[in-house]
Amino acid sequence: FCTAIKNDDEVVKALSWGEEMRQFAPFPTDGLVFKMNDLAIQSELGDGTRAPKWAVAFKFPPERKATRLKQVEVSIGRHGTLTPVAILEPVQPSGTTVQRASLCNQDEVERLGISVGDDVFVEKSAEIIPKVMGVAHKNTTFTWHMPEQCPCCGTAVKRDEGTVAYYCPNEACRVQVIERLKHALGKSSLDWDGMGEETVTAIVEASLFNGVPQITQLSHIIALPGDIIAEVLKPAALKKFLTERERVKKAPLWRKIHALGVEGVGRSTAQDLCAKWKSVNAMLDKEAELKAILGDVVFERFIKFIVENAHEVEALEGYGYTFEESAERIGVLSGKVFCITGTMMTGSREYVSALVENKGGTVKSGVSKKVDYLVSG
């Protein structure tokens, strides 16, 4: 749809048309774009950093529906953070069925003033993320509160002054351990083939002693004797496990750093660090430069993690899992950053990324000023 807009009234009419049209369009829409219909004016106004200055977008308000809050589950993250999750009577905002929605934290629950049994409004933020927006009808006389004990291990939960998050301080909490290992072994970190959620959970639960997991760190996985792991995995899976365990010892340094799970050090940040330095020791020798990349808060977290987990780092090093770029990975592409898009004739993007990494290069998921080469399939 394209038409000339001459005044404010016609803008309002266009918005009304858009609201009606989107209900019947064969594709999802979330707004309209208004543009200056004059190439000379467009050229004069130019482009901004993220969008042209001669166009403006109007976002339609998301569709809001009422439903019953059946229950609040508490999920536990790899850092022990407790997150309340709303379990809802199925409802269909924006054409998809919603039964779960994050409630973020206790402060948000109190702001909304909701509890189990209330009717609540639900909408999809940016037409994607389900969100509880408030009370449609208060059927209770109280507001839901975070449990005082961890729902997994029973440890008293804590909340640091000046923060909104409640967390379980017990690092041996079974769910925390599983989430940490899933992160370390997952596709964005070590990419350990065959170590998905089901396998990680089975290994951790097989190690329980009086309800406490004995396998809690990546070093425990690296050091697992074959006969013990054989009790959990079938022969074919065991063979893959042993092969992958040797492979990840030679994984790119950024994958090993990301696998540590330092809060604030994601995949992109780990790649930035390893494009500049070839070992963790080299990073620590340049604290001022490291702080400039990480920022004050994440820098402190990174240093604290290395100090407090020195025994884990040493154990991994002892098993051949070293925190420095292996000699074969310091190749002709060392220090160069690539972004790969499109379909490659030579193989999948993952395969091409591996070729780049094997020559010492780094592959980023998006284009930025740090990217040296854009490879377009």
Side-chain angles (χ1 to χ4, degrees):
F1 172 79
C2 181
T3 188
I5 304 291
K6 298 183 178 65
N7 53 52
D8 292 350
D9 290 340
E10 292 186 0
V11 170
V12 174
K13 288 180 182 178
L15 294 176
S16 298
W17 171 86
E19 280 276 22
E20 182 179 354
M21 176 277 298
R22 68 193 297 243
Q23 306 299 322
F24 306 101
F27 46 82
T29 60
D30 65 354
L32 297 179
V33 177
F34 296 87
K35 302 179 180 181
M36 294 297 297
N37 190 25
D38 188 305
L39 294 177
I41 294 177
Q42 288 184 11
S43 179
E44 181 180 346
L45 292 175
D47 294 329
T49 55
R50 297 184 62 185
K53 294 180 179 179
W54 44 267
V56 62
F58 176 86
K59 290 274 191 176
F60 294 124
E63 184 181 11
R64 180 175 291 188
K65 297 223 175 156
T67 188
R68 180 66 55 86
L69 177 59
K70 295 167 54 179
Q71 184 183 349
V72 177
E73 290 184 356
V74 178
S75 66
I76 306 170
R78 58 189 170 93
H79 297 295
T81 303
L82 306 183
T83 302
V85 179
I87 308 301
L88 308 161
E89 290 281 358
V91 65
Q92 287 195 319
S94 303
T96 57
T97 302
V98 171
Q99 292 179 278
R100 299 171 65 90
S102 172
L103 292 171
C104 299
N105 52 59
Q106 180 65 47
D107 286 3
E108 177 68 1
V109 174
E110 292 177 3
R111 185 186 71 80
L112 296 171
I114 61 175
S115 192
V116 175
D118 290 340
D119 293 328
V120 297
F121 286 119
V122 178
E123 66 181 42
K124 294 181 77 175
S125 179
E127 301 288 332
I128 299 173
I129 304 170
K131 189 174 182 181
V132 175
M133 301 304 297
V135 177
H137 188 271
K138 187 72 177 170
N139 300 319
T140 63
T141 58
F142 54 90
T143 299
W144 181 88
H145 284 281
M146 190 74 73
E148 296 181 355
Q149 295 180 318
C150 172
C152 175
C153 65
T155 303
V157 302
K158 292 184 176 182
R159 180 180 184 178
D160 294 334
E161 186 176 352
T163 65
V164 298
Y166 286 81
Y167 67 95
C168 170
N170 176 20
E171 293 187 356
C173 172
R174 179 178 57 83
V175 174
Q176 270 192 70
V177 169
I178 291 172
E179 291 300 318
R180 280 203 308 271
L181 291 176
K182 278 169 53 183
H183 167 79
L185 304 171
K187 194 170 187 66
S188 68
S189 297
L190 292 178
D191 193 18
W192 188 319
D193 191 21
M195 290 293 277
E197 180 175 2
E198 185 177 338
T199 303
V200 171
T201 301
I203 290 173
V204 171
E205 293 188 343
S207 76
L208 292 176
F209 181 75
N210 291 332
V212 179
Q214 305 304 298
I215 294 174
T216 61
Q217 304 287 348
L218 178 59
S219 62
H220 297 163
I221 299 289
I222 298 291
L224 267 178
D227 56 343
I228 293 180
I229 199 66
E231 297 176 8
V232 178
L233 301 179
K234 294 179 180 179
L238 174 61
K239 183 178 179 180
K240 178 186 288 187
F241 174 90
L242 297 175
T243 301
E244 285 291 289
R245 180 163 66 179
E246 294 306 309
R247 183 189 65 79
V248 300
K249 291 179 182 179
K250 299 177 181 179
L253 179 60
W254 73 263
R255 288 187 176 276
K256 294 178 178 179
I257 291 176
H258 189 213
L260 291 176
V262 181
E263 190 174 0
V265 181
R267 173 176 179 148
S268 182
T269 301
Q271 289 175 330
D272 289 343
L273 295 177
C274 296
K276 189 174 183 64
W277 294 290
K278 298 306 175 188
S279 72
V280 170
N281 286 336
M283 297 174 195
L284 299 177
D285 287 341
K286 302 289 185 180
E287 289 195 1
E289 294 178 46
L290 182 61
K291 183 182 288 188
I293 294 175
L294 297 178
D296 293 345
V297 175
V298 178
F299 171 79
E300 293 298 332
R301 288 175 183 163
F302 185 76
I303 297 299
K304 181 180 179 183
F305 182 94
I306 296 297
V307 171
E308 292 183 351
N309 294 273
H311 59 287
E312 170 69 2
V313 173
E314 289 175 3
L316 288 168
E317 294 263 5
Y319 297 128
Y321 182 101
T322 58
F323 286 92
E324 61 182 12
E325 205 68 89
S326 58
E328 59 264 33
R329 288 194 181 274
I330 302 177
V332 294
L333 301 181
S334 291
K336 298 299 182 182
V337 180
F338 293 75
C339 177
I340 301 172
T341 184
T343 302
M344 303 290 114
M345 295 179 66
T346 50
S348 67
R349 270 187 269 182
E350 289 76 14
Y351 171 75
V352 176
S353 296
L355 293 180
V356 172
E357 291 180 350
N358 287 335
K359 295 295 184 180
T362 300
V363 179
K364 304 276 274 189
S365 59
V367 176
S368 71
K369 63 182 181 181
K370 297 173 183 175
V371 170
D372 297 299
Y373 298 98
L374 173 63
V375 181
S376 180

